[in-house]
Amino acid sequence: MQNTIRIIGVDPGLRRTGWGIIDTLGNSLRFVASGTVTSDGDMDLASRLCQLHDGLADVVHSYKPDEAAVEQTFVNKDAVATLKLGQARGIAMLVPARAGLPVAEYAPNAVKKAVIGVGHGEKKQIHMMLKILMPKVEFKGDDAADALAIAICHAHNRGSSRIRQAALAG
């Protein structure tokens, strides 16, 4: 007998970190909640990271997910922006890890492939597929939608992810 697994997907960003929570049982997906944690751009970097940490910690505490998935960052031409995004991503990985959750990472192309069937696609395609996969889904903005897509990617790949992690652990 299978148990329902609650997954939080996190789309890290320094201004906006999207989060999406789904329940999965076998092949079925059920929307639970989604949203965005924001930081105040007028504050210093450390304070902004604290805002992201506290907001994401509140979400994890409220919804009590079993597993987490975070999108991997890509390196862009602006090294400073990439570094700041990496710090926000560190918060996105730290919060669920501190809550005792296993944290998986997925490349943006893998997320798109899991949701829309191809590794490259438009945001509109992701939004449309989220509504098809979970008819009761609600999200405001691209960050929350991306986070839900990350959670779905993990739901589809969690078995192979666990096997891969076990193999790496030795």
Side-chain angles (χ1 to χ4, degrees):
M1 187 163 140
Q2 295 180 344
N3 293 324
T4 299
I5 303 296
R6 179 160 287 181
I7 299 169
I8 182 170
V10 183
D11 181 31
L14 184 57
R15 287 187 199 132
R16 292 176 309 278
T17 290
W19 59 270
I21 299 182
I22 64 170
D23 285 343
T24 180
L25 177 62
N27 290 330
S28 91
L29 302 172
R30 186 178 67 83
F31 169 75
V32 175
S34 69
T36 306
V37 176
T38 59
S39 72
D40 182 347
D42 292 333
M43 297 180 80
D44 63 276
L45 179 61
S47 297
R48 293 177 74 187
L49 292 172
C50 283
Q51 288 177 320
L52 295 177
H53 175 277
D54 294 348
L56 199 53
D58 287 345
V59 171
V60 169
H61 178 76
S62 295
Y63 290 99
K64 301 187 179 359
D66 301 302
E67 299 178 8
V70 178
E71 188 172 65
Q72 292 175 339
T73 53
F74 57 91
V75 177
N76 59 35
K77 294 177 184 173
D78 183 352
V80 173
T82 300
L83 181 60
K84 287 179 180 178
L85 179 58
Q87 291 168 320
R89 188 169 172 276
I91 297 297
M93 294 179 71
L94 173 70
V95 169
R98 294 281 301 175
L101 307 180
V103 180
E105 302 173 64
Y106 296 97
N109 289 348
V111 172
K112 288 178 183 171
K113 189 169 186 176
V115 176
I116 62 175
V118 292
H120 300 280
E122 306 268 333
K123 297 282 186 191
K124 289 179 185 177
Q125 291 174 294
I126 291 173
H127 294 192
M128 182 186 71
M129 284 305 296
L130 288 174
K131 291 174 184 175
I132 291 170
L133 293 169
M134 297 179 298
K136 295 181 180 181
V137 72
E138 296 176 20
F139 54 86
K140 291 183 181 176
D142 291 341
D143 301 302
D146 287 349
L148 286 165
I150 294 161
I152 290 170
C153 178
H154 182 63
H156 292 317
N157 292 290
R158 59 186 296 274
S160 59
S161 174
R162 238 181 310 152
I163 292 167
R164 204 170 33 248
Q165 287 174 348
L168 291 173

